Amino acid sequence: MDSQQLADLAAEACDDRKASDIRLIRVDEVSSLADWMVIAGGQSDVQVRAIARSVEDRLETEAERLPLRKEGVQEGRWALLDYGELIVHVLMPDERGYYDLEAFWSHGETRAFLPSPKVS
């Protein structure tokens, strides 16, 4: 699984827990930090933790990947999951507005996550 597929999978996992305004930013051409960043919003500390757990579970199950590092999951205001070529940020609205990661990484290719229609 390449880094873009990994980012798409993480974004889907965020969407599974109703994350808001999911953004994928390709940073491999502007930084050696990672290939992709996924930024998603949660409306409560419980939701931030649930979104982060969903990403961890989905990437472990479907990509056989565990995060190299994770930060902030217990506090639930800003969770960071570092998979090497992918970094996932899940933030509460105040933190997202304050740090404005989308603006910081605006020189990378940005795209909004568009979920696939769910078949019932």
Side-chain angles (χ1 to χ4, degrees):
M1 182 172 291
D2 68 23
S3 61
Q4 182 173 352
Q5 292 169 319
L6 201 63
D8 288 336
L9 190 61
E12 289 172 14
C14 292
D15 185 56
D16 287 347
R17 295 294 174 263
K18 308 290 187 234
S20 59
D21 195 21
I22 303 167
R23 301 278 170 184
L24 293 91
I25 304 174
R26 184 176 177 181
V27 297
D28 62 339
E29 294 184 10
V30 295
S31 173
S32 61
L33 190 60
D35 293 348
W36 286 89
M37 294 209 181
V38 172
I39 303 170
Q43 299 305 308
S44 69
D45 58 341
V46 172
Q47 187 185 23
V48 167
R49 285 193 293 272
I51 294 166
R53 188 72 205 154
S54 178
V55 171
E56 281 189 81
D57 290 347
R58 189 95 177 256
L59 269 59
E60 182 177 359
T61 301
E62 295 186 31
E64 298 179 352
R65 298 287 303 273
L66 295 172
L68 303 171
R69 284 172 291 287
K70 55 185 176 178
E71 300 290 334
V73 177
Q74 293 302 320
E75 294 83 5
R77 299 203 55 78
W78 179 354
L80 181 144
L81 303 172
D82 181 355
Y83 288 90
E85 70 271 31
L86 167 68
I87 299 174
V88 179
H89 300 272
V90 185
L91 302 98
M92 294 272 289
D94 287 346
E95 283 73 14
R96 190 165 184 172
Y98 180 79
Y99 291 102
D100 199 5
L101 296 174
E102 291 92 339
F104 185 80
W105 292 105
S106 64
H107 47 287
E109 174 191 332
T110 302
R111 66 181 169 95
F113 172 73
L114 301 173
S116 301
K118 298 201 172 27
V119 179
S120 25

